[in-house]
């Protein structure tokens, strides 16, 4: 069964600190992996998309890594800011006639001053 | 601003009623997706349309239906509403349907069923 699991479920860190969010998936055949940021009550915003051959991708202070062998991805946030408080969602795309997207439940990140 | 618009922003209705949510995709995008997000839950994919044709179906109830019109805007119809249908409904759009494109999300419609 295609699944995406994220950990931790929630995380609280102090402003200025770094953090890493984890994503494990059991999606096959794999097409790509995306990270989205969702502010409370708002639509998700894409941070990165990575294909099978990409190990690392950065978007400002956000760096995503992908290990296709172990089916794991991580999102590292550097020098956190209050505006980073949001849910971060890992989404994996499965190859097929419809390129089904499998959404993780998200990690809720709270940055405290 | 993603360029995807959704109306209305808020909707309050009673059980048993029927409502229609509207979505206009980004200029040039042919794919439209509908998602449901209940309180503190993850996004649930409902349905996708590409250039007027249904492309993929997720966990969409039989009481729900959608369509995409020739001008590419889309409507999601929810009927015989139940309390559990209260949720945020998001529309997203993308350029195509290869599975590689970024989906751009609208601001959502918050539905409350009383």
């Amino acid at each position: 069964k295609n699944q995406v699991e994220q950990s931790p479920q929630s995380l609280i860190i102090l402003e200025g600190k770094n953090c890493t969010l984890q994503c494990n998936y059991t999606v096959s055949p794999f097409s790509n992996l995306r990270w989205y940021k969702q502010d409370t009550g708002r639509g998700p915003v894409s941070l990165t998309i990575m294909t099978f051959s990409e190990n690392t991708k950065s978007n400002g202070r956000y760096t995503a890594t992908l290990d296709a062998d172990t089916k794991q991805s991580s999102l590292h946030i550097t020098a956190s800011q209050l505006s980073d408080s949001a849910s971060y969602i890992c989404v994996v795309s499965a190859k097929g006639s419809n390129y089904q997207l499998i959404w993780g439940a998200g990690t809720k990140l709270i940055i405290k001053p | 601003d993603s360029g995807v618009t959704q109306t209305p922003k808020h909707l309050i209705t009673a059980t048993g009623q029927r409502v229609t949510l509207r979505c206009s995709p980004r200029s040039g995008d042919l794919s439209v997706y509908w998602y449901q997000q209940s309180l503190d839950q993850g996004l649930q994919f409902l349905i996708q349309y590409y250039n007027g044709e249904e492309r993929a179906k997720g966990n969409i109830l039989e009481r729900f239906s959608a369509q995409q019109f020739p001008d590419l805007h889309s409507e999601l119809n929810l009927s015989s509403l139940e309390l559990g249908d209260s949720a945020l409904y998001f529309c997203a759009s993308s350029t195509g349907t290869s599975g590689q494109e970024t989906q751009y999300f609208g601001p959502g419609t918050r539905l409350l069923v009383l």
Side-chain angles (χ1 to χ4, degrees):
Chain A
K1 182 182 176 184
N2 288 332
Q3 280 188 316
V4 174
E5 294 185 352
Q6 293 187 243
S7 61
Q9 192 172 10
S10 61
L11 182 63
I12 302 173
I13 63 171
L14 291 175
E15 184 180 11
K17 298 295 187 184
N18 303 335
C19 67
T20 299
L21 315 179
Q22 300 290 342
C23 173
N24 295 336
Y25 62 93
T26 56
V27 176
S28 183
F30 174 86
S31 175
N32 59 68
L33 184 145
R34 310 149 186 240
W35 283 95
Y36 279 88
K37 177 187 178 188
Q38 185 180 23
D39 292 318
T40 302
R42 310 286 293 269
V45 175
S46 178
L47 296 175
T48 64
I49 297 180
M50 287 189 293
T51 58
F52 186 88
S53 59
E54 294 174 297
N55 300 117
T56 304
K57 206 157 194 179
S58 291
N59 179 358
R61 293 180 297 101
Y62 300 102
T63 299
T65 64
L66 173 63
D67 186 334
D69 292 330
T70 61
K71 298 189 176 181
Q72 296 179 325
S73 175
S74 64
L75 181 69
H76 186 75
I77 304 175
T78 305
S80 61
Q81 300 175 359
L82 296 178
S83 59
D84 293 331
S85 293
S87 286
Y88 291 84
I89 309 170
C90 176
V91 187
V92 180
S93 174
K95 278 184 186 175
S97 60
N98 296 322
Y99 283 94
Q100 180 190 8
L101 292 183
I102 297 95
W103 290 73
T107 292
K108 186 164 187 175
L109 176 65
I110 298 172
I111 311 297
K112 294 211 162 184
Chain B
D1 183 3
S2 67
V4 179
T5 60
Q6 290 187 247
T7 56
K9 287 186 180 177
H10 303 274
L11 201 47
I12 302 175
T13 188
T15 54
Q17 294 299 305
R18 173 190 166 94
V19 297
T20 297
L21 313 183
R22 183 188 168 101
C23 167
S24 292
R26 292 187 325 152
S27 177
D29 283 358
L30 298 179
S31 275
V32 168
Y33 311 78
W34 285 98
Y35 293 87
Q36 179 192 56
Q37 187 173 34
S38 302
L39 189 63
D40 292 332
Q41 299 293 312
L43 274 83
Q44 295 293 321
F45 168 67
L46 295 178
I47 198 164
Q48 177 200 355
Y49 278 83
Y50 174 74
N51 204 21
E53 303 275 331
E54 182 184 303
R55 185 75 179 185
K57 227 170 184 175
N59 300 321
I60 188 166
L61 299 172
E62 285 192 13
R63 301 182 286 109
F64 295 1
S65 65
Q67 56 184 323
Q68 187 179 27
F69 294 87
D71 67 352
L72 301 177
H73 90 271
S74 178
E75 292 182 355
L76 178 67
N77 300 295
L78 314 177
S79 61
S80 303
L81 285 167
E82 302 175 359
L83 296 178
D85 298 327
S86 296
L88 262 172
Y89 290 84
F90 288 107
C91 166
S93 74
S94 68
T95 52
T97 189
S98 74
Q100 306 292 329
E101 309 92 2
T102 296
Q103 290 186 19
Y104 295 88
F105 282 78
T109 292
R110 187 177 294 277
L111 173 67
L112 180 60
V113 182
L114 299 175

